[in-house]
Amino acid sequence: MAGRYKSDLNWSDVTPKSVFMNRRQWMAGAGAAGLGAIASPALAQLNASPSAYSTDAPLNTLEEITNYNNFYEFGTGKEDPARYAGKMVTDPWTVKIDGLVDKPGDYGFDDIMKGVDLEERIYRLRCVEAWSMVVPWIGFELADLLNRVGVQPAGKYVAFETAVLPDVMPGLARGYLDWPYREGLRLDEAMNPLTILATGLYDEPMPNQNGAPLRLVVPWKYGFKSIKSIVRISVTETEPPTSWNMANAREYGFYSNVNPEVDHPRWSQATERKVGGGFFAKRVETQKFNGYGDQVASLYDGMDLRANF
Ligand SMILES: Nc1nc2c(c(=O)[nH]1)N[C@H]1C(S)=C(S)[C@@H](COP(=O)(O)O)O[C@H]1N2
Ligand SMILES: [Mo]
């Protein structure tokens, strides 16, 4: 399996490059005064010119994106994260990067962001409940961070963990999942340019309920792979355990690629309802890999995606 990612797509060929500053980074003295003013026209431009990474589907509103969430640490209700996550303190924030890397360590959020060129990409984040949203994420390639810390040749997977903050996370006391929330990717999936670490959405720093200050976005996989409020990234040799798979291995596999041909044992995954369309909105057909097959289908050449669901 490929240890290092090499793209034949030139990023600047496919996406109008717009630099968005996370407001926090901006305040931290990046010297970007005035950049906020370009956010909206740039967003409109990006919206008008879909690329391999964005979508021409209309964006969900900030209101929708921040009030219909899954973040079980704060409860299982879709409105629980908006209600409770406000108490989570995300500054300062430290991410431990360890395992098979050349430069392991505890990295502060600002260290991680140093020199990072923020791009805005519009993705559809799809969830296992078969609902979808179109979100203008601000983020950067996970590959960028992994290359900076140096993945060693034996590294084959990347594991992630969410913060465990019992004082502010009422869901931890209830055994919904085995905490910390854990997710993982194969290294080539992690190095794909579609996989980003998002630090904001629209022109806002990441709202707490969406996984501040740093969350993963893997748009060709079901929503639960996109782990929030990350405090640990480990490069491993073997496939790491993941929270949903540990909770119910029959229903949730390691790969969890969006795939209308493979139903969840309790529901069809052939169609989806776009959040905000109203309860009676017509369901639309779900696209394999969430429509990103050109970018990612080759990662799974020769694999049986029914067995590896
Ligand atoms: N730490 C953590 N990350 C998480 C979850 C969670 O419960 N805890 N839920 C996942 C699920 S099931 C989904 S659908 C998405 C939802 O992301 P959103 O609320 O930003 O739309 O976050 C994922 N990341
Ligand atoms: Mo989900």
Side-chain angles (χ1 to χ4, degrees):
M1 193 199 56
R4 294 281 188 282
Y5 174 81
K6 203 170 163 309
S7 175
D8 51 6
L9 263 180
N10 188 345
W11 171 244
S12 58
D13 289 344
V14 292
T15 303
K17 195 158 176 170
S18 51
V19 179
F20 284 80
M21 301 303 288
N22 173 323
R23 188 161 299 151
R24 178 164 139 184
Q25 194 190 25
W26 184 12
M27 290 190 304
L35 263 182
I38 67 159
S40 298
L43 188 60
Q45 182 204 358
L46 193 53
N47 233 345
S49 48
S51 73
Y53 298 97
S54 68
T55 167
D56 54 2
L59 293 174
N60 277 93
T61 64
L62 183 62
E63 180 77 11
E64 288 160 354
I65 294 168
T66 56
N67 286 286
Y68 191 88
N69 302 104
N70 271 350
F71 199 161
Y72 276 23
E73 287 86 335
F74 294 101
T76 53
K78 297 280 183 262
E79 288 165 11
D80 287 340
R83 193 171 303 136
Y84 299 117
K87 288 201 183 126
M88 176 167 65
V89 176
T90 63
D91 185 6
W93 192 265
T94 305
V95 181
K96 179 182 283 301
I97 304 181
D98 63 358
L100 300 167
V101 294
D102 295 335
K103 292 178 225 158
D106 292 328
Y107 290 84
F109 180 81
D110 297 330
D111 300 329
I112 289 174
M113 298 309 290
K114 215 165 273 167
V116 166
D117 195 4
L118 291 171
E119 315 261 4
E120 180 138 353
R121 307 183 186 191
I122 300 175
Y123 292 135
R124 276 177 291 173
L125 176 67
R126 226 166 272 272
C127 293
V128 68
E129 301 85 355
W131 43 274
S132 65
M133 281 201 222
V134 180
V135 181
W137 298 108
I138 301 167
F140 61 99
E141 293 177 17
L142 172 63
D144 180 271
L145 179 62
L146 291 174
N147 285 332
R148 275 191 283 155
V149 297
V151 174
Q152 298 181 345
K156 300 226 162 20
Y157 294 87
V158 185
F160 305 85
E161 287 179 16
T162 294
V164 176
L165 305 168
D167 291 347
V168 294
M169 293 174 162
L172 294 179
R174 316 197 192 107
Y176 305 130
L177 291 169
D178 197 18
W179 319 109
Y181 192 99
R182 263 163 278 196
E183 261 309 333
L185 296 171
R186 213 170 58 190
L187 185 62
D188 56 348
E189 299 176 320
M191 293 303 238
N192 189 281
L194 272 180
T195 303
I196 64 166
L197 285 170
T199 59
L201 51 87
Y202 276 104
D203 54 355
E204 303 281 327
M206 188 64 73
N208 281 5
Q209 59 267 46
N210 294 90
L214 193 69
R215 59 89 55 87
L216 195 67
V217 178
V218 195
W220 74 94
K221 293 177 181 276
Y222 288 105
F224 61 88
K225 296 296 285 186
S226 292
I227 184 173
K228 298 178 170 182
S229 303
I230 295 167
V231 294
R232 187 172 178 194
I233 300 175
S234 313
V235 176
T236 64
E237 188 157 10
T238 53
E239 186 182 291
T242 64
S243 288
W244 285 96
N245 180 258
M246 289 159 81
N248 192 334
R250 205 174 72 89
E251 299 193 357
Y252 306 104
F254 178 78
Y255 285 94
S256 304
N257 293 318
V258 172
N259 192 342
E261 297 152 21
V262 179
D263 285 336
H264 181 281
R266 288 182 286 133
W267 53 75
S268 162
Q269 299 196 132
T271 65
E272 64 196 53
R273 179 180 63 82
K274 190 181 162 190
V275 171
F279 186 75
F280 296 104
K282 229 179 103 207
R283 300 184 70 88
V284 296
E285 280 180 22
T286 290
Q287 291 173 266
K288 195 165 183 179
F289 300 119
N290 196 17
Y292 293 104
D294 287 350
Q295 287 79 37
V296 300
S298 64
L299 294 171
Y300 310 103
D301 279 350
M303 272 178 77
D304 176 357
L305 295 180
R306 282 184 180 279
N308 298 284
F309 59 95

